[in-house]
């Protein structure tokens, strides 16, 4: 393959695949959206859990750890008893909020298109 060829555009490490890999779980985009739109970029774990109906505590913890590991948010522990943990969007996380918000806005503006999708076996409404 020569650099810049069409085949290069779909390599395993190409930009579209890297973006999609970030959102392999539905919760990553929802946490980004919730932190940004509902909590001004920062929230404690319990607040996030209440803001995301349907997410289990285990899944929220796993998602937050993955997002922290990828640099989308930071974890801040306050020295209280019990310790209060707050998650904050990083500058990188803020950059990823923009495409998430565009996609969510498209969904709100096009419910008819979403209604036309066939049911997926794992999809819940």
């Amino acid at each position: 393959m020569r650099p810049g060829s069409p085949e290069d555009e779909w390599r395993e490490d190409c930009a579209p695949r890297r973006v999609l890999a970030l959102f392999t779980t539905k919760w990553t985009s929802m946490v980004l959206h919730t932190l940004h739109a509902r909590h001004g970029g920062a929230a404690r774990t319990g607040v996030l859990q209440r803001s995301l109906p349907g997410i289990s505590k285990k899944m929220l913890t796993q998602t937050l750890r993955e997002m922290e590991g990828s640099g989308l948010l930071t974890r801040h522990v306050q020295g209280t008893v019990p310790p209060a943990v707050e998650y904050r969007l990083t500058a990188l996380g803020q950059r990823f909020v923009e495409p998430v918000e565009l996609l969510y806005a498209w969904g709100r503006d096009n419910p008819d298109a979403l209604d036309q999708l066939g049911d997926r076996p794992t999809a819940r409404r």
Side-chain angles (χ1 to χ4, degrees):
M1 258 187 284
R2 48 190 208 298
S5 70
E7 294 84 15
D8 273 350
E9 293 180 22
W10 298 109
R11 294 187 332 240
E12 287 187 37
D13 64 342
C14 68
R17 289 186 185 200
R18 292 173 63 200
V19 168
L20 291 176
L22 181 63
F23 299 108
T24 55
T25 71
K26 67 180 177 182
W27 297 113
T28 300
S29 66
M30 294 181 89
V31 168
L32 284 171
H33 167 74
T34 301
L35 276 171
H36 170 75
R38 296 189 67 191
H39 303 296
R44 290 177 54 179
T45 311
V47 170
L48 277 173
Q49 174 120 32
R50 288 187 295 278
S51 299
L52 294 163
I55 192 169
S56 68
K57 186 174 182 177
K58 178 183 174 185
M59 182 54 70
L60 177 60
T61 300
Q62 180 180 327
T63 302
L64 292 170
R65 285 183 183 155
E66 288 172 4
M67 292 175 71
E68 182 184 9
S70 63
L72 296 172
L73 50 82
T74 55
R75 181 178 188 263
H76 299 269
V77 181
Q78 298 167 356
T80 59
V81 177
V85 178
E86 180 180 73
Y87 289 90
R88 299 177 192 159
L89 289 173
T90 62
L92 181 62
Q94 290 286 354
R95 289 178 69 186
F96 278 96
V97 164
E98 182 182 355
V100 168
E101 293 302 314
L102 288 171
L103 188 60
Y104 281 22
W106 183 92
R108 286 188 296 274
D109 293 343
N110 293 277
D112 61 312
L114 295 171
D115 291 342
Q116 291 178 39
L117 290 173
D119 286 338
R120 296 184 342 229
T122 59
R124 286 191 244 157
R125 289 189 182 182

